Amino acid sequence: MKTRSRTLFAAIALAAVTTLGLSACAGEDAAPAEGGSKGGTLNIDFATYNPLSLIIKDKGWLEEDLKSQGVSVNWIQSAGSNKANEGLRAGALDVGSTAGAAALLNRANGSQIKAITIANKPEWAALIVGKDSTITSVAELKGKKIAATKGTDPYFFLLQSLAEAGLSPEDVTIENLQHADGWSALQGGSVDAWAGLDPIMGGALENGAKFLYRNVDFSSYDVVAATESFIQKRPDIAQTVVNAYADARAWALKNPEETATILAKTASLDDAVATSVITDRTNFDVDPVPGDAQAKVLRVIGPVFVETGDVAGQSQVDDALKSLFEPSFAKAAKTTNRS
């Protein structure tokens, strides 16, 4: 199917500078509340594109930390940022793993979510072609079929790549398929290229697929988002989640091989593929406090939402960017020497 565009797609390179702000309900100087929450369930996702979530789940840290409060932990797998955002919008998730661009799109369309910590700065998206493909540049995709999952970083990676090559979405046919289905479509020959996502992309490369185009600057970070209602009602539990992420980051930096093993087990990958994902295309050594670094990327991506008709107007994007980040939890995060 054709993805809509309103002819001014070149605006991606001229994105307006937006003043970064914080929400009125939980400002930069606000301190997360201490203690108090008892009982109930924390609904949180894990995703193969967010290895820190896999570590936390594998180690059982949240279950351990919340046991004294009588809070149970319900883990739900997200197949992509679009699925995580669906869960957050529906209230099925309190906390979800999503690309920064997907979180901004979600908030611009009315979803009351906040980015509470940054998981990593990955090179998790790229344009991929089959092993026998003769396509060697993005410009050669004109008139071709490309698989991508709308509302995710690979989709926004594709749009930015097309714009850089002087193409718009109207110059190609974008098949809206979930990540794994996109890889299957490329294997089956029903599409000419795929906007891939790790770790599925790592498995594709291991099976002969080739990079067509890479650009880590098009990545919008791996963010951990929470619903505003959860943050307001259970800020201590939100802080516990962010603390666990801080522990997972420290553990992953010290134990890259074991991190790859956990990824391989969860994603059913060969150890070598999982290792390449962790060591070659994942960067955990980033500032976990959401703010300027993510906003810089999102100011470029935001106008694309309007160009493609995914958001009604730029003012919605600007307002969403001003209120997307809640840095207080990451600023207050405490780590422990977990093993």
Side-chain angles (χ1 to χ4, degrees):
M1 68 178 181
K2 290 283 184 180
T3 299
R4 293 181 293 161
S5 176
R6 287 201 284 269
T7 73
L8 296 179
F9 198 74
I12 182 176
L14 301 172
V17 174
T18 305
T19 300
L20 179 63
L22 299 170
S23 71
C25 67
E28 183 171 351
D29 297 327
E34 294 292 338
S37 290
K38 299 292 183 182
T41 300
L42 167 65
N43 294 301
I44 185 169
D45 80 346
F46 68 101
T48 57
Y49 54 85
N50 177 2
L52 296 189
S53 70
L54 306 184
I55 294 170
I56 296 168
K57 181 177 183 293
D58 184 78
K59 298 296 184 181
W61 289 338
L62 282 175
E63 289 83 352
E64 176 185 330
D65 293 344
L66 295 173
K67 183 178 180 180
S68 64
Q69 293 172 251
V71 177
S72 61
V73 181
N74 179 34
W75 288 98
I76 301 170
Q77 184 166 12
S78 291
S81 293
N82 60 324
K83 296 301 182 183
N85 279 318
E86 286 176 11
L88 289 165
R89 283 196 304 272
L93 286 174
D94 300 310
V95 181
S97 307
T98 171
L104 178 62
L105 176 62
N106 205 26
R107 187 164 181 90
N109 282 320
S111 181
Q112 298 301 299
I113 62 167
K114 295 278 190 179
I116 58 175
T117 193
I118 304 303
N120 80 93
K121 172 76 191 275
E123 187 192 4
W124 56 8
L127 295 184
I128 305 295
V129 293
K131 61 182 179 180
D132 298 322
S133 176
T134 60
I135 298 172
T136 59
S137 71
V138 177
E140 293 177 50
L141 291 176
K142 186 173 183 178
K144 305 296 186 182
K145 291 183 178 181
I146 308 164
T149 309
K150 290 195 69 175
T152 69
D153 243 27
Y155 174 70
F156 302 124
F157 183 95
L158 169 61
L159 298 185
Q160 292 176 91
S161 301
L162 292 174
E164 187 180 63
L167 300 177
S168 82
E170 292 181 336
D171 292 317
V172 300
T173 298
I174 299 178
E175 300 288 352
N176 183 23
L177 300 171
Q178 201 62 45
H179 300 298
D181 295 329
W183 165 226
S184 296
L186 183 65
Q187 287 177 291
S190 59
V191 297
D192 302 288
W194 168 52
L197 177 72
D198 262 335
I200 301 170
M201 182 170 70
L205 295 169
E206 184 76 5
N207 282 279
K210 301 178 292 187
F211 283 118
L212 173 63
Y213 183 65
R214 303 169 72 178
N215 189 336
V216 69
D217 290 337
F218 286 174
S219 169
S220 67
Y221 288 81
D222 179 5
V223 310
V224 180
T227 63
E228 285 192 23
S229 61
F230 172 69
I231 292 171
Q232 292 166 1
K233 294 175 181 177
R234 312 203 79 175
D236 56 317
I237 307 300
Q239 187 64 62
T240 299
V241 170
V242 174
N243 290 348
Y245 265 93
D247 281 337
R249 181 189 316 282
W251 191 90
L253 289 170
K254 291 180 181 178
N255 302 280
E257 292 183 1
E258 291 179 68
T259 299
T261 297
I262 292 173
L263 174 61
K265 178 179 67 175
T266 307
S268 300
L269 295 172
D270 290 340
D271 288 342
V273 174
T275 298
S276 72
V277 171
I278 296 300
T279 60
D280 298 340
R281 295 190 296 277
T282 303
N283 180 14
F284 297 121
D285 193 16
V286 296
D287 186 350
V289 180
D292 288 340
Q294 293 72 45
K296 182 179 179 181
V297 177
L298 295 177
R299 290 188 191 110
V300 176
I301 298 174
V304 177
F305 301 160
V306 182
E307 294 301 323
T308 57
D310 292 306
V311 178
Q314 185 61 40
S315 63
Q316 288 176 233
V317 177
D318 294 342
D319 289 344
L321 185 56
K322 290 177 184 177
S323 58
L324 177 61
F325 304 122
E326 178 40 76
S328 60
F329 297 102
K331 287 182 177 181
K334 298 176 182 179
T335 59
T336 57
N337 294 319
R338 284 177 143 155
S339 59

